[in-house]
Amino acid sequence: MAQAFCERQYEAFWADPSSVPITWVGLLFSMIGLAVLAAEPPDSIQCQDKIKQQSLQLDLYREKIVQCLVAGEYTRSGPYVLETVINYVYIEFGIRADADKDTWFLLALEVNLAMRMGYHRDPSHFPGISPLQGEMRRRLWATVLMSDVLISSQMGLPRMIAENRCDTAEPRNLNDTDFDEETVELCPSRPETEHTAALGIIARRRMLMALGTILDLTAAVKPCSYAEVMRVDGILHDAFASIPPPLKTKPIAASVMDSPHIIMSRLFISHMFYKGQIILHRRFLYQKPPADGNDDPFTYSRTACLDASLGTLDIQHILDEETCPEGLLHTLRWRVSSIMNHQFLTATVILCSLLHQGKTLNREEEIITALRRSRAIWVRKCSGSIEAKKAAETVNIVLARAGEGHGWGISPRSHNANALMDGRVTGTHPNSNTDNHDTSAEPAIPDSMGLYECMSVFIRLSIMRTLG
């Protein structure tokens, strides 16, 4: 919401609480809930009571949000419903350390509400929508697009929004003070060299449009040619090149004078670029080279996937350092969500697999250094994340085979290995498609919830046999 407009609504609420819809009250609770989620957690061991109190507060606001949505008959849509649902989904998503299918079910509610309310069509089609409402609808739709692409890919499932069914335009690069409810016509966008409240949304939307195209290609049941893969790779690079100057990639050492929000936006955009490269190219990591000795046609894909995996773990390292107390991003540590951790986990597994199979493209030292650094991060997160524990176990075993001892308090054996030997571990999600290209390939790494379970068990058993 535009800040001034929001403040006027807030003042009107306290002047006459009964005059506002119950869904607006739900929106208010959701904003307070987000504030609690982002609040500084007590670091002292003696502050366990405060930590518990903070958790209880968040539980209370979550309950009140749901009560307001139900009382406001959210399925009938109406004012403030979508904004409240978006915030609620983010809260539910933010309190979970690992991927959770329940969040994906909530995403379906968010997407369908948005489409039922016409957010997928540009406001220019509806003369009755004011400039303020129209611009807010464009920003909200960009947020829905982001949720759909990122959460769906985390679940290993196709995205819900089809690109050919929506035409909502990109938001304009305007500050919230550039328009209000009295505005008759929006002013032109500010130059993209100027950072505004909308610039981050614009940049993310451009990357998301490319990511969505990649997800559509990799989720298709019909084969596609390698030429098509490279065409989509070009779309991803074009999107990355179109990022406005204030949000282009910049070394962290050269960013000390920038705001935490700008730094986090840059890292997240780079994160999305690496994510797209990994999803698009990882299937070609294990393609057999031509038997006739000709040039390997998939060299670019192998290199791109390896570079993206290493770049992803570089971002993990930066975030781990800068979200610590006194770090540049400490105030935004809550933005490091399970979606980012999911991609860190994917990159970790890819590098483990390449190192284990000896397909390091003559970059073994780079891979070992990245995995060693990542292992330390995963070990610290083990107590609060099942996925982190699996990653730490897998990296520990792979590095042990590469010449390093265990020494991290993580056992190389687990119930997962026994489960595989008993035939109880499942692999790829039934809706995940990993071989939708027209070249013969060995099984590649799937977009699925079963990826880490299957891959880590495979590496454990293989290495245990090797080590005797």
Side-chain angles (χ1 to χ4, degrees):
M1 256 187 228
Q3 183 176 345
F5 182 55
C6 184
E7 288 174 356
R8 284 193 287 273
Q9 287 188 319
Y10 185 72
E11 291 167 359
F13 166 70
W14 286 111
D16 184 6
S18 62
S19 65
V20 301
I22 190 65
T23 48
W24 187 93
V25 179
L27 178 60
L28 180 61
F29 278 129
S30 72
M31 295 168 71
I32 298 172
L34 287 172
V36 173
L37 186 65
E40 177 78 26
D43 292 326
S44 172
I45 298 177
Q46 294 148 5
C47 292
Q48 291 303 313
D49 288 343
K50 290 184 179 179
I51 294 174
K52 184 177 180 181
Q53 182 182 12
Q54 200 173 66
S55 177
L56 290 173
Q57 281 182 332
L58 193 54
D59 289 344
L60 174 64
Y61 292 128
R62 290 163 61 204
E63 179 184 24
K64 297 306 176 187
I65 295 167
V66 173
Q67 288 175 345
C68 289
L69 285 171
V70 172
E73 298 182 295
Y74 68 94
T75 56
R76 299 169 67 91
S77 64
Y80 315 113
V81 169
L82 182 60
E83 295 93 325
T84 306
V85 169
I86 288 174
N87 286 349
Y88 176 66
V89 171
Y90 195 95
I91 292 171
E92 292 295 325
F93 176 76
I95 62 176
R96 290 163 169 78
D98 296 331
D100 191 321
K101 65 180 183 301
D102 291 345
T103 309
W104 183 74
F105 292 134
L106 286 174
L107 169 68
L109 172 64
E110 177 184 321
V111 169
N112 282 290
L113 271 174
M115 297 192 76
R116 186 176 187 274
M117 297 171 72
Y119 279 79
H120 63 299
R121 300 305 309 276
D122 191 75
S124 60
H125 298 301
F126 310 104
I129 294 178
S130 70
L132 170 68
Q133 293 172 329
E135 193 61 14
M136 291 299 103
R137 288 172 71 93
R138 292 186 184 101
R139 294 185 185 184
L140 275 173
W141 180 248
T143 304
V144 174
L145 279 175
M146 180 173 68
S147 300
D148 180 32
V149 169
L150 297 181
I151 296 178
S152 293
S153 65
Q154 184 185 27
M155 294 295 111
L157 293 166
R159 61 173 175 161
M160 301 179 190
I161 299 171
E163 188 174 343
N164 61 355
R165 295 177 186 169
C166 53
D167 63 355
T168 304
E170 181 178 277
R172 297 192 187 189
N173 187 38
L174 298 173
N175 283 312
D176 291 345
T177 54
D178 290 333
F179 55 98
D180 57 25
E181 60 267 40
E182 303 299 327
T183 299
V184 177
E185 184 177 354
L186 286 176
C187 59
S189 287
R190 292 174 179 266
E192 292 193 350
T193 53
E194 183 177 344
H195 189 269
T196 69
L199 194 65
I201 298 173
I202 293 169
R204 288 192 295 271
R205 182 186 178 278
R206 291 175 185 175
M207 292 302 301
L208 289 165
M209 297 301 288
L211 270 177
T213 302
I214 291 172
L215 291 179
D216 291 344
L217 184 73
T218 56
V221 295
K222 293 183 179 180
C224 68
S225 66
Y226 190 63
E228 181 67 9
V229 170
M230 293 307 297
R231 185 188 71 81
V232 174
D233 180 79
I235 292 174
L236 178 65
H237 279 84
D238 289 344
F240 193 56
S242 73
I243 297 303
L247 300 181
K248 285 188 178 294
T249 303
K250 190 176 178 182
I252 198 72
S255 304
V256 291
M257 300 302 293
D258 296 324
S259 73
H261 288 280
I262 290 178
I263 297 172
M264 183 64 83
S265 292
R266 288 179 187 145
L267 290 172
F268 189 63
I269 288 166
S270 296
H271 171 87
M272 287 193 286
F273 175 72
Y274 293 142
K275 181 184 181 74
Q277 287 205 303
I278 289 173
I279 293 174
L280 189 59
H281 294 292
R282 66 188 174 192
R283 72 186 63 194
F284 304 106
L285 282 174
Y286 306 106
Q287 293 265 10
K288 292 180 180 178
D292 57 10
N294 291 333
D295 291 340
D296 185 353
F298 306 121
T299 298
Y300 171 81
S301 288
R302 298 188 220 282
T303 304
C305 191
L306 176 55
D307 287 342
S309 298
L310 290 169
T312 297
L313 292 193
D314 281 342
I315 293 176
Q316 183 191 33
H317 174 64
I318 292 170
L319 289 173
D320 182 65
E321 286 194 331
E322 299 302 335
T323 53
C324 291
E326 299 184 5
L328 292 173
L329 303 174
H330 180 62
T331 56
L332 296 178
R333 67 205 171 284
W334 57 278
R335 295 267 300 271
V336 184
S337 63
S338 65
I339 280 180
M340 298 191 82
N341 286 328
H342 169 88
Q343 191 60 23
F344 298 149
L345 188 52
T346 301
T348 300
V349 171
I350 287 173
L351 295 182
C352 283
S353 177
L354 290 173
L355 183 61
H356 173 64
Q357 298 190 38
K359 299 182 178 180
T360 59
L361 305 184
N362 298 318
R363 297 168 70 178
E364 183 173 339
E365 286 304 315
E366 271 187 86
I367 293 174
I368 290 176
T369 299
L371 288 176
R372 187 185 298 122
R373 198 167 57 184
S374 184
R375 173 176 62 180
I377 299 171
W378 290 123
V379 167
R380 287 199 301 275
K381 296 179 179 292
C382 277
S383 60
S385 169
I386 295 173
E387 290 181 354
K389 187 173 186 298
K390 291 177 181 178
E393 288 178 351
T394 302
V395 175
N396 203 42
I397 295 170
V398 171
L399 290 181
R401 182 179 184 269
E404 295 190 14
H406 294 293
W408 289 82
I410 301 171
S411 171
R413 296 181 182 272
S414 74
H415 70 280
N416 294 327
N418 295 329
L420 181 63
M421 287 183 280
D422 292 342
R424 289 185 280 110
V425 173
T426 57
T428 308
H429 192 287
N431 289 333
S432 178
N433 182 32
T434 63
D435 294 313
N436 59 339
H437 49 85
D438 59 2
T439 56
S440 59
E442 296 178 5
I445 299 175
D447 244 344
S448 71
M449 295 298 292
L451 162 62
Y452 313 112
E453 187 86 9
C454 195
M455 180 61 75
S456 60
V457 170
F458 161 73
I459 292 175
R460 288 190 199 112
L461 290 182
S462 298
I463 295 174
M464 283 180 215
R465 292 191 193 101
T466 303
L467 298 177

